[in-house]
Amino acid sequence: MGLIVFSFGTAKIFHFHAGEFMPAFGSPEWVAGLIELTVGLCFLIGVFTRLSAFILSGLMAAAYFTAHLPVSFFPTENGGYTAASWSFVFLYFATSGGGPASLDAMLSKRANG
């Protein structure tokens, strides 16, 4: 999930395999891309996992409410099923953490001996 979010950030910010994801500099979509790039990378490598997941959960919820909900209430009709699902998955990681393979866990284990 972190890699996918990070790839959306690279598409929006660096126009790397951008396709339709080329927002104007400073637009809300560009700012979302900057968040996806930086926070997605943090989530991908497992550093500040809980905070990163919390921010990404909010970003996905905001994407759903601003881009999809105005089209229709139902995710099957408005195309927002991915944003809605990911919002809840990131919320899970915000509460559970990154697990033993995360950089957070490795640094914690090394600090505690």
Side-chain angles (χ1 to χ4, degrees):
M1 287 183 56
L3 182 60
I4 294 170
V5 171
F6 178 72
S7 71
F8 273 93
T10 58
K12 291 175 184 172
I13 301 302
F14 299 122
H15 306 290
F16 182 73
H17 294 285
E20 63 185 56
F21 301 106
M22 294 181 59
F25 178 80
S27 68
E29 294 84 6
W30 187 87
V31 173
L34 191 59
I35 294 169
E36 291 166 347
L37 182 70
T38 56
V39 180
L41 180 62
C42 287
F43 185 82
L44 175 64
I45 63 175
V47 65
F48 306 119
T49 307
R50 290 178 190 259
L51 178 61
S52 298
F54 183 74
I55 292 169
L56 290 171
S57 176
L59 182 67
M60 293 298 111
Y64 182 81
F65 286 116
T66 60
H68 300 286
L69 189 63
V71 175
S72 170
F73 176 76
F74 301 103
T76 53
E77 293 179 3
N78 65 22
Y81 42 85
T82 305
S85 299
W86 282 23
S87 179
F88 287 108
V89 171
F90 282 125
L91 190 59
Y92 165 77
F93 279 104
T95 59
S96 68
S102 69
L103 189 56
D104 286 338
M106 291 181 208
L107 292 174
S108 176
K109 185 186 294 185
R110 188 170 184 190
N112 293 333

